[in-house]
Amino acid sequence: MTGKRSLSTHRRHLTRRRVLGASAIGVAATGAAVAGGTGLLSSASAAGFGYQDDGRNYVVDTGAALVFKVSKTTGDITSLAYKGKEYEGYGGKHSHVESGLGASTVTIKQSGSTILIKVVHGAITQWYAARSGQNNVYLWTNKADASFTATRYIVRLKPGMFPNTGSDAWDSTTDKIIEAGDVWKRPDGTTHSKHYSGRRTIDYDYVGFTTGSVGLWLVRSNHEKASGGPFYRSLLRHSNEGGAGLYEILHYNEAQTEAERFGLQGPYVIALTDGGAPSTSLFQANLDTSWVDGLGITGWVGKAGRGKVAGVGLKGMDAKYAYTVGFANADAQYWAKAAAGTGAFSCKGMLPGTYTLTVFKNELAVHTESVKVTAGGTTSLHTLSITGDPSAAATVWRLGDWDGTPGEFKNAKLMTYAHPSDGRAAKWTGNVTIGSGSEAASFPAYVWKDVNDGILVYFKLTKAQAAAAHTLRVGVTDAFAGGRPRVTVNDWVSAIPSAITQPETRSLTTGSYRGNNHTFAFNVPSSAWKTDTSQYNVLKINIVSGSGGTAFLSAGTSFDCLDLLT
């Protein structure tokens, strides 16, 4: 739809040239609620539903308030016109998978109340679907191999359509780049970047923008073929004076902890509303996809071909934390939240196969076992006993808590939506004294070789404690550029520990502390301690690595917990 033709004129023209489906393939009208609370709209009442070929694009009229275009040569969405107003595109670019596929084979068909567009380019096949009377575009991405380095879909939106606010919004006319071309600092000292969503995958169902009268949203898929698990953080949206974007990230090399998975991913949904949030019927927990079964989407597995795992509960939970049960193998990933108190969980819609089941205390793996899922069946599990929680060990002292995050430490929460140099951050320096009452809040969540190396922890021991050797545990959640801790206790210096496997890209400066949780164990001999029990022992933490840049891009690590075992 162009800006020169009114929506009503377009619909009259479209009705005259309506393309009818060559054959019905068993797609029934769902009667699902239209996103945004605009009521129920059947295909019979969705006047104008259909498509036309304008020479360059397939023009799809949903029969509601949305008309969208898909390029016949590239498969890009080139227009999203809602109530006659265009929202799509910026900087000469359109909405597409990856960074745009380029020349592709694009076909379209209508079958009853569904229009399906197929885009083929090498190892990637992209699908778009419209349903009669709905202001939604359903999308699927099938990636067969690693010939593309990432898997994402970006919806590009025109500048000035929505408020330019939030931690993922910036203004390049006033803000200055401070890192890698994608982190900005404002004159007020706050930092902004497309990386700063502040949310993990498990924390959101959709992202988007609203003016109060118009909302444009991207409802995420179930991420079964994505990678990174429930706690992965990545790009969700961005905006600046030049336009805005919404992302469905399925595999992104930044802060990535898992190998890429391949195959069909979706549906994820572009939803237009009258300003409100998208309908909950579009969320994975409620999404009815029975209408997809007969469309012939390669790799699609319907409800009948999927199974379920149900667990009675978890034994040994810490009531202070939420627990998540994850399932993963080379082909798929899923997760379910465990009920508070009992730990009961249920995960449905799983592809058949054998999975590693992992119980997470917050983000720390505390139990694993194998579980098999069969098509059409339910795998029932008895109560699982948690035996791998390091918090169960007796300690002389503990700094923080074992939960797989640096959440108790200084600046930790800010770092999920800001750069470490942000003006709101407390100073990264600062030593702590065990027993002071504010140890965790004073200890920095991150330590870098170039910024705050050599943090000190002061503590006293009793005569009996000083007479024995102890194990010092240092838990880390992630490391940048091979950074790992080397410790000094008074005059005793530990060996340099071996580097551990961690993401190879930026993480600590792009809103993520999530890596491969690891515990370094240092066996400190009794000869290391102060014999005078009135004196403080001094633990010094240095970051060692032969790589990395400078300042906040020097080698560094994020901490989960530190403790001295009895």
Side-chain angles (χ1 to χ4, degrees):
M1 179 175 177
T2 66
K4 296 181 180 179
R5 179 187 295 174
S6 70
L7 183 62
S8 60
T9 301
H10 171 78
R11 283 186 175 162
R12 288 196 299 270
H13 180 70
L14 183 58
T15 301
R16 290 196 298 268
R17 295 186 56 191
R18 190 170 181 178
V19 181
L20 298 177
S23 62
I25 55 175
V27 180
T30 65
V34 175
T38 55
L40 300 177
L41 206 62
S42 69
S43 61
S45 63
F49 177 70
Y51 73 88
Q52 71 172 25
D53 180 342
D54 71 1
R56 293 185 177 183
N57 307 278
Y58 290 120
V59 184
V60 179
D61 190 326
T62 64
L66 173 64
V67 177
F68 68 93
K69 297 180 182 180
V70 175
S71 168
K72 293 171 58 181
T73 56
T74 66
D76 292 1
I77 291 181
T78 58
S79 172
L80 288 167
Y82 183 63
K83 295 185 176 180
K85 189 173 184 178
E86 181 61 68
Y87 287 87
E88 198 282 330
Y90 67 76
K93 296 182 179 181
H94 291 293
S95 304
H96 42 223
V97 68
E98 306 297 356
S99 295
L101 297 177
S104 304
T105 300
V106 185
T107 55
I108 189 170
K109 67 178 180 180
Q110 179 175 333
S111 300
S113 60
T114 302
I115 294 171
L116 183 68
I117 297 175
K118 180 181 181 181
V119 182
V120 180
H121 179 99
I124 287 186
T125 302
Q126 180 72 26
W127 280 271
Y128 304 98
R131 308 215 65 214
S132 179
Q134 296 186 10
N135 292 314
N136 306 320
V137 184
Y138 297 85
L139 302 91
W140 294 261
T141 302
N142 194 329
K143 183 177 179 182
D145 59 37
S147 53
F148 286 82
T149 57
T151 309
R152 71 168 187 178
Y153 197 95
I154 178 170
V155 182
R156 300 183 190 272
L157 305 176
K158 291 176 63 177
M161 307 305 290
F162 297 100
N164 185 35
T165 59
S167 56
D168 48 16
W170 66 93
D171 185 342
S172 61
T173 65
T174 58
D175 303 348
K176 293 182 179 180
I177 293 175
I178 60 170
E179 182 180 297
D182 59 10
V183 180
W184 301 74
K185 180 169 282 190
R186 289 190 175 167
D188 65 2
T190 61
T191 52
H192 299 260
S193 174
K194 62 184 180 181
H195 300 287
Y196 297 154
S197 70
R199 285 184 282 182
R200 310 167 300 175
T201 304
I202 196 173
D203 296 330
Y204 74 97
D205 292 309
Y206 61 91
V207 293
F209 300 95
T210 182
T211 63
S213 58
V214 174
L216 201 156
W217 314 94
L218 186 60
V219 182
R220 74 165 176 85
S221 67
N222 68 353
H223 278 222
E224 72 179 0
K225 294 290 185 178
S227 50
F231 313 122
Y232 184 60
R233 299 175 189 268
S234 192
L235 313 184
L236 297 185
R237 62 170 216 172
H238 80 266
S239 68
N240 57 41
E241 79 288 348
L246 300 174
Y247 299 89
E248 168 77 339
I249 298 292
L250 303 176
H251 180 80
Y252 199 62
N253 289 331
E254 200 156 74
Q256 188 54 253
T257 58
E258 286 188 296
E260 186 172 9
R261 294 180 174 91
F262 302 104
L264 183 70
Q265 180 66 57
Y268 47 104
V269 188
I270 301 171
L272 280 296
T273 75
D274 290 337
S279 168
T280 56
S281 65
L282 299 177
F283 302 166
Q284 290 303 314
N286 306 307
L287 184 60
D288 175 13
T289 56
S290 58
W291 59 273
V292 183
D293 292 349
L295 293 181
I297 294 177
T298 305
W300 175 255
V301 179
K303 183 178 179 180
R306 295 172 177 271
K308 175 182 177 180
V309 175
V312 172
L314 305 174
K315 183 180 179 181
M317 294 193 301
D318 184 333
K320 296 193 301 293
Y321 292 97
Y323 283 74
T324 302
V325 182
F327 305 86
N329 61 23
D331 297 320
Q333 63 169 10
Y334 306 94
W335 52 84
K337 294 180 180 180
T342 66
F345 60 91
S346 177
C347 188
K348 63 182 181 178
M350 300 174 66
L351 293 173
T354 300
Y355 294 84
T356 297
L357 178 157
T358 304
V359 177
F360 295 94
K361 171 191 174 185
N362 199 358
E363 297 185 17
L364 183 67
V366 292
H367 175 82
T368 61
E369 63 178 69
S370 182
V371 63
K372 186 176 182 180
V373 176
T374 57
T378 297
T379 302
S380 299
L381 301 177
H382 296 295
T383 300
L384 305 180
S385 295
I386 296 171
T387 58
D389 187 348
S391 297
T395 64
V396 177
W397 54 261
R398 177 169 289 152
L399 185 57
D401 199 6
W402 295 99
D403 73 337
T405 82
E408 304 93 344
F409 297 134
K410 183 166 60 175
N411 292 327
K413 290 179 173 58
L414 177 65
M415 289 303 96
T416 63
Y417 58 91
H419 190 268
S421 67
D422 193 282
R424 293 166 291 181
K427 290 183 178 180
W428 287 102
T429 55
N431 305 321
V432 301
T433 300
I434 301 299
S436 65
S438 58
E439 301 97 321
S442 302
F443 187 83
Y446 304 164
V447 174
W448 292 268
K449 192 174 182 179
D450 251 20
V451 177
N452 55 344
D453 197 37
I455 292 292
L456 303 179
V457 178
Y458 297 92
F459 60 96
K460 291 181 179 180
L461 297 177
T462 66
K463 185 175 181 179
Q465 290 167 343
H470 296 276
T471 297
L472 173 70
R473 299 189 299 185
V474 180
V476 301
T477 69
D478 191 16
F480 175 69
R484 64 264 194 202
R486 185 186 195 184
V487 301
T488 300
V489 179
N490 300 320
D491 295 327
W492 178 85
V493 182
S494 75
I496 296 176
S498 299
I500 56 176
T501 301
Q502 293 288 6
E504 297 180 355
T505 59
R506 289 180 299 160
S507 54
L508 305 184
T509 60
T510 56
S512 178
Y513 55 75
R514 179 74 184 166
N516 296 310
N517 291 96
H518 182 81
T519 300
F520 295 94
F522 301 96
N523 296 315
V524 185
S526 59
S527 59
W529 312 121
K530 296 282 189 181
T531 56
D532 184 346
T533 59
S534 67
Q535 293 183 324
Y536 281 103
N537 292 273
V538 183
L539 165 65
K540 185 179 182 180
I541 302 170
N542 293 104
I543 301 300
V544 293
S545 174
S547 59
T550 60
F552 294 110
L553 289 179
S554 63
T557 192
S558 53
F559 294 93
D560 178 11
C561 187
L562 296 85
D563 59 19
L564 189 67
L565 301 184
T566 57

